[in-house]
Amino acid sequence: MLMKVLVTVKTYPTISVKYDELVCTAGFREDGSWIRMYPIPFRKKTYEERYKKYEWIEIDLEKNRQDFRPESYKPVLGTKITVVGRIGTQNNWEERKKICLRRVYDNLDELIAEAKNPNICTSLATFKPTAILDFYAEATEREWDFHKVNQMQAKRRQLKLFPDDEEDLGEEFRIVRKLPYQFKYRFVDSAGRESNLMIEDWETGQLFWNCFERHEGDEQKAIEDVRKKYLDDFARTKDLYFFLGTTMQYHKKARNPFVIIGTFHPKRENQLRLFQELS
């Protein structure tokens, strides 16, 4: 089924034996409902197909029968992605707000209850934290799983012997660098519940690597720059919302199956009005 989707989420790539690496993309359909598109080997797409956030795309999708979450769809084999429009930031994200803030949760327990309810099974949501307490980094594994990387390399060698039409062998594909840190927000919801959630936004990871290069390999300075952006800027000066999502693996198992897969951060309205008055 050909669908039109406003892309609002692109997660940091993960490695895959079948696809080399994958990006989970999510966004909104024209009726305002959430949709998840997975798997998409984003960096193997043509330049014209490499969509950006807040671009409308058209893509042929079918329900992912291997994923019980109702929002999960997968691209039909051979489909091409067409970018058909973009929503900008005019009037303090006015058009984006109309789509992204149609339904906003502020109580995490209520959202988790919906996720655990088999008749609802919510796995994507816009969430408004009541207060941000911190943004921090935790060290994690510095390299991708050795056995999975070996499997990927063996598959590539096989494809070079038996190439097919779907695999572009003209240029050696390099998997994305693994982030050596997990970045997390600590926040409070409307019921006073304190939580720590990891953020998996591609932009967060890319910001770390950009800062890492700028500081000539100093990881701590890079972390501090990322923290300034997500805490001092987004959390303390912007009207911050989270895009939350679950993983299929932990949706039913984890007490809280949600992670932050993106942020939504227009200016605060009182600041905007003051700016307009001064101008």
Side-chain angles (χ1 to χ4, degrees), residues 105-160:
Y105 295 81
D106 60 14
N107 184 306
L108 199 55
D109 284 330
E110 290 180 0
L111 177 58
I112 294 170
E114 279 195 17
K116 299 295 185 178
N117 185 333
N119 296 319
I120 305 175
C121 201
T122 299
S123 69
L124 291 167
T126 305
F127 183 86
K128 177 65 174 172
T130 299
I132 301 295
L133 303 179
D134 199 6
F135 181 88
Y136 59 98
E138 287 184 347
T140 186
E141 295 83 4
R142 304 187 73 86
E143 302 293 339
W144 295 114
D145 181 88
F146 176 78
H147 297 291
K148 186 175 286 189
V149 172
N150 276 350
Q151 287 180 288
M152 293 166 58
Q153 292 172 340
K155 173 177 173 279
R156 288 182 191 171
R157 289 193 293 269
Q158 184 179 27
L159 286 171
K160 287 180 179 179

Side-chain angles (χ1 to χ4, degrees), residues 19-33:
Y19 299 99
D20 281 337
E21 68 178 36
L22 293 172
V23 172
C24 180
T25 300
F28 295 90
R29 290 183 276 198
E30 291 180 282
D31 64 0
S33 61

Side-chain angles (χ1 to χ4, degrees), residues 8-9 34 54 100 125-126 241-245 259-264:
T8 59
V9 168
W34 275 101
Y54 299 102
C100 298
T126 305
Y241 298 78
F242 298 151
F243 293 140
L244 300 184
V259 296
I260 302 168
I261 54 176
T263 59
F264 187 83

Side-chain angles (χ1 to χ4, degrees), residues 89-232:
T89 59
Q90 296 86 350
N91 299 318
N92 196 29
W93 298 31
E94 181 178 3
E95 289 301 313
R96 295 181 180 184
K97 288 177 181 177
K98 290 178 181 178
I99 297 174
C100 298
L101 303 185
R102 288 186 184 184
R103 183 176 185 186
V104 178
Y105 295 81
D106 60 14
N107 184 306
L108 199 55
D109 284 330
E110 290 180 0
L111 177 58
I112 294 170
E114 279 195 17
K116 299 295 185 178
N117 185 333
N119 296 319
I120 305 175
C121 201
T122 299
S123 69
L124 291 167
T126 305
F127 183 86
K128 177 65 174 172
T130 299
I132 301 295
L133 303 179
D134 199 6
F135 181 88
Y136 59 98
E138 287 184 347
T140 186
E141 295 83 4
R142 304 187 73 86
E143 302 293 339
W144 295 114
D145 181 88
F146 176 78
H147 297 291
K148 186 175 286 189
V149 172
N150 276 350
Q151 287 180 288
M152 293 166 58
Q153 292 172 340
K155 173 177 173 279
R156 288 182 191 171
R157 289 193 293 269
Q158 184 179 27
L159 286 171
K160 287 180 179 179
L161 293 174
F162 306 101
D164 59 41
D165 293 337
E166 294 183 5
E167 185 72 17
D168 179 12
L169 299 176
E171 182 179 345
E172 185 70 20
F173 182 79
R174 296 183 180 180
I175 61 174
V176 70
R177 288 183 288 182
K178 187 181 185 303
L179 286 171
Y181 297 92
Q182 293 179 346
F183 293 95
K184 296 183 177 182
Y185 268 115
R186 187 163 76 249
F187 62 94
V188 176
D189 71 359
S190 62
R193 170 178 173 157
E194 184 176 320
S195 301
N196 297 269
L197 288 187
M198 179 172 61
I199 182 167
E200 295 187 344
D201 193 338
W202 193 340
E203 290 182 356
T204 313
Q206 191 56 55
L207 176 60
F208 170 79
W209 289 123
N210 291 344
C211 296
F212 177 81
E213 298 294 340
R214 186 168 65 250
H215 292 299
E216 300 180 340
D218 190 320
E219 292 185 356
Q220 294 310 308
K221 288 184 178 179
I223 290 171
E224 187 57 34
D225 280 358
V226 176
R227 189 172 186 270
K228 287 178 181 177
K229 185 67 174 178
Y230 280 82
L231 185 63
D232 296 346

Side-chain angles (χ1 to χ4, degrees), residues 7 10 42 47 50-55 57 83 86:
V7 176
K10 286 164 57 180
F42 181 79
Y47 178 79
R50 293 187 185 182
Y51 46 83
K52 300 179 177 64
K53 285 185 180 181
Y54 299 102
E55 287 185 335
I57 64 170
V83 177
R86 175 173 173 79

